[in-house]
Amino acid sequence: MTRAALVLAVVLALARGAAADPVTVRFSTTLPLFAPVAKDVLIPWFKEVESDSGGTIAFQQFWGGQLVANQPREWDALMNHVFDIGALVPAFYLQALPDSSIFALPGVVRSAEEAAVGGWKMNDANLLRGMDKLYVIATFSNDPGGLHFARPIASLAAVKGLKIRVSGPAEAQIVEALGAAPVGMNVSDMAEALSRGVYDGSLNGWSANHLFRVTPVLKAHFDLSLGVRQFVFGMNRQAYDALPEAAKAALAKHSGLALSLRMAHAMEQDGERERAEAKDKGMIVGLSAADETRLNGVYKPLIDTWIAAQPEGAKKFAFLDATLADYRKGH
């Protein structure tokens, strides 16, 4: 009887463990649910991780700023456990993730895919400060940023004196170097502010025009490689550490460079559609030889300033430059 009772107790304990509720992990982002990176990559990713975790993890999803609407507040909200996992934009909290601004340097990164490779490999080499606060699942970005205006613009010289929305200090420096006035503003407010004339244009990737419904307001574009806004898809490290081992294993299986590239490709393709539409409508302003020369004179000082200002800036820039050169050999 004693042995039978012991066996029964073990069976009941195993049954209770198997029937335990999964750990609920709250996901938050300002990205809209209709974004290709959401519907084509992230939503399937959540299902895959839940399935492979053996029922030990479940994601509660908040899209379009439902939980935290103000992007600059996302980092503090994540660190204070308002949510556990997010698609974050380090440009809004450079004190926490200062080295991510390298991807916003003009003329360095040519595509979202390049930024994904550079971001993942720099993080893997521990060259991005602040990432240790996260379990990094993927790094990705929008497509390279251009200048987009709610008024017709004839030339790059006409940008001088205009007010242009930016998402961080690195973008502000580019705008200032072009003789315009940078204005910090939440991307979700961009369409209304442009339509009301609060500012004249915006520095952002083409994909953002679609994701935040700005396209109908725009009248002119400069298709320039003015850096990217890096995203980090990551989880609060303390929340990650508290997960069951099966959930951690599922996350590890579905994290890394391959996921980073899938996310970047979705953003790039979205931007390509916007770029093609603007080209068909004759809205892309051509650059003169003088404009090209001027831009070259703008880019290098900004890169040199970044290298000088960051701890081990030369080492980090050289690592990214070599990583991108190696990636370009096969693409």
Side-chain angles (χ1 to χ4, degrees):
M1 291 294 293
T2 302
R3 183 177 179 184
L6 179 59
V7 170
L8 179 60
V10 170
V11 170
L12 290 174
L14 290 173
R16 282 195 296 271
D21 291 334
V23 174
T24 298
V25 172
R26 294 180 300 279
F27 165 79
S28 177
T29 184
T30 55
L31 286 168
L33 188 57
F34 65 82
V37 73
K39 60 187 181 66
D40 296 337
V41 183
L42 281 172
I43 291 175
W45 181 89
F46 288 128
K47 293 178 181 177
E48 290 164 4
V49 173
E50 287 176 341
S51 175
D52 287 345
S53 76
T56 60
I57 191 171
F59 295 100
Q60 186 178 13
Q61 301 171 40
F62 297 92
W63 296 90
Q66 289 177 318
L67 191 61
V68 181
N70 191 329
Q71 283 179 309
R73 295 180 181 174
E74 285 183 309
W75 180 260
D76 286 342
L78 178 63
M79 292 298 103
N80 292 321
H81 305 282
V82 175
F83 63 98
D84 308 296
I85 184 172
L88 310 165
V89 184
F92 290 108
Y93 18 85
L94 285 177
Q95 286 187 330
L97 301 173
D99 296 316
S100 293
S101 58
I102 193 172
F103 300 100
L105 292 172
V108 174
V109 173
R110 299 176 186 172
S111 69
E113 285 89 349
E114 285 192 0
V117 172
W120 184 261
K121 294 202 172 183
M122 285 192 76
N123 174 65
D124 208 34
N126 297 314
L127 291 177
L128 298 177
R129 287 171 292 162
M131 293 287 202
D132 57 329
K133 301 289 196 303
L134 304 171
Y135 176 81
V136 179
I137 300 166
T139 65
F140 67 109
S141 81
N142 60 344
D143 53 316
L147 295 171
H148 313 280
F149 294 92
R151 60 165 72 181
I153 300 289
S155 68
L156 191 62
V159 171
K160 185 176 181 179
L162 298 184
K163 292 181 290 185
I164 299 178
R165 187 208 74 90
V166 297
S167 59
E171 293 87 351
Q173 290 175 355
I174 295 171
V175 167
E176 287 175 341
L178 293 173
V183 180
M185 183 172 289
N186 199 359
V187 67
S188 58
D189 299 323
M190 185 162 62
E192 181 181 357
L194 276 171
S195 64
R196 290 171 51 203
V198 175
Y199 54 94
D200 306 294
S202 179
L203 193 168
N204 56 261
W206 288 88
S207 55
N209 295 333
H210 168 229
L211 298 181
F212 297 97
R213 306 182 189 278
V214 187
T215 305
V217 180
L218 299 174
K219 301 290 190 298
H221 310 263
F222 287 94
D223 189 14
L224 305 172
S225 183
L226 298 180
V228 299
R229 263 43 61 200
Q230 188 190 40
F231 286 75
V232 177
F233 183 36
M235 185 172 185
N236 178 301
R237 174 61 72 169
Q238 291 179 341
Y240 169 81
D241 289 342
L243 289 175
E245 290 303 316
K248 290 179 180 179
L251 283 172
K253 178 181 177 181
H254 295 282
S255 299
L257 181 56
L259 176 64
S260 299
L261 284 167
R262 282 173 58 200
M263 298 174 82
H265 183 70
M267 297 290 277
E268 191 79 48
Q269 291 298 104
D270 203 25
E272 285 292 342
R273 285 189 288 270
E274 289 292 304
R275 182 182 286 105
E277 182 180 332
K279 185 177 181 180
D280 288 344
K281 292 179 179 179
M283 291 183 177
I284 297 180
V285 182
L287 296 175
S288 66
D291 288 336
E292 296 281 4
T293 300
R294 183 185 173 200
L295 287 172
N296 289 333
V298 165
Y299 292 176
K300 189 176 185 307
L302 291 175
I303 293 170
D304 291 343
T305 298
W306 188 93
I307 290 174
Q310 303 299 321
E312 297 187 306
K315 173 184 175 181
K316 292 170 184 177
F317 188 85
F319 182 94
L320 177 60
D321 191 48
T323 298
L324 296 181
D326 186 59
Y327 179 74
R328 287 166 186 162
K329 290 176 183 176
H331 297 82

